[in-house]
Amino acid sequence: MPIRPTSHFDWQVLRTVKRSKKPPVGRTLRLVPNRKTKDGSFLTDLVEEGLLERATGTEADPFEATYTLTEKGKFAAEYGEYEYQVKPRVAEPAPAPKERKSR
């Protein structure tokens, strides 16, 4: 499996979860208030990558959910990289050629 480095921000979030004694609430994981963290999609992305899992809550309200590390997330929090699954490309069908109007 290929290895992907974590971004500095993601690594900080993972380290925060690792150091926490109780599963932290998503709102406390918004370490830097900027456009990227405004809607909580960064938490959903970390869950989809398999680095975090929701202990409570749902995807609909990521700031109210609590999060714990997965085994992959523990490794990424410690070393700043993780193995990821390569997703196969889905070939889109070619568009049909347009018919030319005859004169």
Side-chain angles (χ1 to χ4, degrees):
M1 282 192 168
I3 293 178
R4 175 181 289 164
T6 60
S7 69
H8 183 71
F9 175 75
D10 290 344
W11 179 77
Q12 286 179 318
V13 171
L14 295 173
R15 293 295 291 183
T16 302
V17 175
K18 184 174 182 172
R19 290 182 181 137
S20 178
K21 294 181 182 182
K22 295 188 298 184
V25 178
R27 188 178 301 105
T28 62
L29 297 176
R30 188 179 180 204
L31 304 175
V32 179
N34 59 19
R35 286 185 296 163
K36 181 181 176 189
T37 63
K38 186 175 183 177
D39 60 354
S41 62
F42 71 99
L43 294 168
T44 305
D45 293 342
L46 290 173
V47 170
E48 289 174 358
E49 285 291 327
L51 300 173
L52 290 178
E53 62 185 4
R54 286 182 195 87
T56 62
T58 63
E59 182 180 347
D61 196 6
F63 289 130
E64 294 301 319
T66 58
Y67 296 90
T68 59
L69 287 175
T70 61
E71 287 301 316
K72 189 191 307 188
K74 290 177 185 176
F75 187 85
E78 190 66 31
Y79 299 106
E81 61 187 21
Y82 62 96
E83 292 181 343
Y84 70 101
Q85 186 70 28
V86 178
K87 295 178 185 173
R89 289 181 142 182
V90 177
E92 295 182 18
K98 295 181 179 180
E99 294 183 23
R100 294 181 128 181
K101 294 181 181 180
S102 59
R103 293 184 178 193

